[in-house]
């Protein structure tokens, strides 16, 4: 008889992220292995697996599950689960990115979960900023910061997602001349940045074009097979900030494109230290 431990009260998104992380590192796993990973019961794991299979993350196997690799080109992670995946890496990348901001900057933040961590870290610095974002989550958080002016561009909210896309926001973004853009990407493949949604890719292209400088914030899991549609080439990005899990092949592609790359080391409680900020000679 399996007995739930104290961790069984963990929110579903966190449990599901732990399951996905375990499978990413170890490949296929049994129900019992996954129950041990989340500190919950086998019945809880079965419910989480059913959800993850239904959403397109996994395929069930006899007695367990394994990740779908590569994911379908149009696959989009759920917002709540995505925020928990590689969370320590996102914290470290976000803190590093927040250090790029200066007082009175105008900055465009996209709706990626890693950019959200940069916003949280920036709030701790208490800099006066003009913030443009299509993220309802970022806007809600930033509204409580007295030294920030918040601008929402408008658009449509897709079911299940907390961000704006499409018109009139995209046309509005194109009229801006911001100091900085911080954006994520669904995938980085060589020097190609891709997204899973046409309308999200189009809005992000407008954001990149409307800023003097763009920093790409991507954890190492994003260096993978391309998504459905092209966002941009890495040549349109000024700096990439990622974590130490990035492969040497991926770094070589970025260096060959002569992009500045900052790799952060992830420690306990999301602590970080830059391993290097390099632009190839």
């Amino acid at each position: 008889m399996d007995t739930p431990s104290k961790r069984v009260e963990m929110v579903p998104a966190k449990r599901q992220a732990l399951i996905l992380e375990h499978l990413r590192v170890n490949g296929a796993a049994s129900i019992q292995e996954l129950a041990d990973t989340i500190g919950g019961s086998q019945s809880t794991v079965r419910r989480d697996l059913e959800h993850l299979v239904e959403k397109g993350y996994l395929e069930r196997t006899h007695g367990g599950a394994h990740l779908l690799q590569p994911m379908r080109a149009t696959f989009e992670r759920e917002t709540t689960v995505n925020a928990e995946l590689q969370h320590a890496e996102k914290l470290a990348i976000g803190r590093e990115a927040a250090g790029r901001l200066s007082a009175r900057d105008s900055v465009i933040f996209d709706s990626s979960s890693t950019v959200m961590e940069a916003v949280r870290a920036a709030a701790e610095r208490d800099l006066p900023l003009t913030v443009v974002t299509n993220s309802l989550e970022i806007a809600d958080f930033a509204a409580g910061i007295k030294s920030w002016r918040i601008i929402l561009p408008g658009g449509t909210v897709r079911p299940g997602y907390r961000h704006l896309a499409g018109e009139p926001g995209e046309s509005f973004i194109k009229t801006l001349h911001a100091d900085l853009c911080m954006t994520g990407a669904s995938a980085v493949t060589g020097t190609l940045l891709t997204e899973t949604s046409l309308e999200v890719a189009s809005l992000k292209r407008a954001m990149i074009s409307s800023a003097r400088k763009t920093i790409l914030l991507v954890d190492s899991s994003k260096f993978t097979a391309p998504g459905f549609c092209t966002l941009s080439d890495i040549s349109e990005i000024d700096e990439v900030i990622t974590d130490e899990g990035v492969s040497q092949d991926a770094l070589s592609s970025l260096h060959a494109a002569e992009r500045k790359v900052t790799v952060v080391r992830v420690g306990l409680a999301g602590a970080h230290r830059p391993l290097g900020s390099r632009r190839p000679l």
Side-chain angles (χ1 to χ4, degrees):
M1 178 177 173
D2 59 296
T3 303
S5 73
K6 292 180 181 178
R7 292 181 64 192
V8 76
E9 297 303 324
M10 188 183 299
V11 297
K14 179 66 174 178
R15 290 197 314 264
Q16 291 156 15
L18 285 172
I19 289 171
L20 291 172
E21 279 293 284
H22 183 86
L23 292 171
R24 184 177 68 86
V25 172
N26 299 287
S30 68
I31 297 288
Q32 186 57 57
E33 283 179 67
L34 296 174
D36 293 340
T37 296
I38 67 169
S41 67
Q42 291 189 18
S43 59
T44 298
V45 169
R46 289 190 183 95
R47 286 195 300 271
D48 285 335
L49 290 180
E50 287 171 6
H51 175 83
L52 292 170
V53 168
E54 180 185 345
K55 295 299 181 180
Y57 293 89
L58 305 176
E59 277 186 340
R60 286 297 301 269
T61 61
H62 180 68
H66 67 80
L67 284 174
L68 283 172
Q69 292 290 356
M71 293 293 189
R72 295 177 181 89
T74 55
F75 173 78
E76 291 185 78
R77 294 171 173 173
E78 294 172 281
T79 302
T80 52
V81 174
N82 186 51
E84 298 291 347
L85 291 169
Q86 288 82 42
H87 187 59
E89 289 84 350
K90 290 173 180 177
L91 281 171
I93 293 167
R95 288 192 174 277
E96 180 69 21
R100 305 294 189 270
L101 294 167
S102 300
R104 296 178 179 79
D105 272 350
S106 57
V107 56
I108 301 172
F109 292 121
D110 86 344
S111 58
S112 73
S113 57
T114 309
V115 170
M116 180 73 236
E117 297 304 335
V119 172
R120 290 193 175 102
E124 295 176 8
R125 298 187 60 204
D126 196 28
L127 299 170
L129 298 172
T130 296
V131 170
V132 181
T133 185
N134 70 316
S135 167
L136 300 180
E137 183 180 11
I138 289 175
D140 185 52
F141 172 85
I145 303 170
K146 293 181 179 179
S147 58
W148 289 11
R149 179 188 181 204
I150 315 302
I151 301 170
L152 283 167
T156 300
V157 179
R158 293 185 299 152
Y161 295 92
R162 297 197 65 203
H163 62 248
L164 298 158
E167 296 295 352
E170 189 172 327
S171 293
F172 171 73
I173 290 287
K174 290 176 180 178
T175 69
L176 302 180
H177 305 277
D179 296 305
L180 183 63
C181 171
M182 290 190 182
T183 185
S186 289
V188 183
T189 313
T191 63
L192 184 67
L193 312 184
T194 55
E195 278 295 333
T196 56
S197 162
L198 288 168
E199 58 187 353
V200 170
S202 183
L203 182 63
K204 288 188 179 186
R205 279 195 295 273
M207 290 176 167
I208 292 169
S209 297
S210 296
R212 295 188 182 94
K213 181 179 181 180
T214 297
I215 303 176
L216 178 69
L217 312 185
V218 282
D219 69 74
S220 53
S221 73
K222 297 297 181 69
F223 292 86
T224 185
F228 179 64
C229 54
T230 296
L231 167 58
S232 74
D233 186 80
I234 200 68
S235 60
E236 297 180 57
I237 304 298
D238 297 279
E239 181 181 6
V240 179
I241 305 179
T242 188
D243 63 84
E244 60 191 324
V246 66
S247 72
Q248 191 55 52
D249 285 347
L251 286 177
S252 296
S253 294
L254 298 176
H255 291 156
E258 300 185 341
R259 294 302 89 189
K260 181 180 180 182
V261 182
T262 299
V263 180
V264 296
R265 174 172 288 149
V266 181
L268 295 175
H272 81 284
R273 177 172 68 83
L275 291 177
S277 183
R278 304 188 298 273
R279 189 185 296 275
L281 298 176

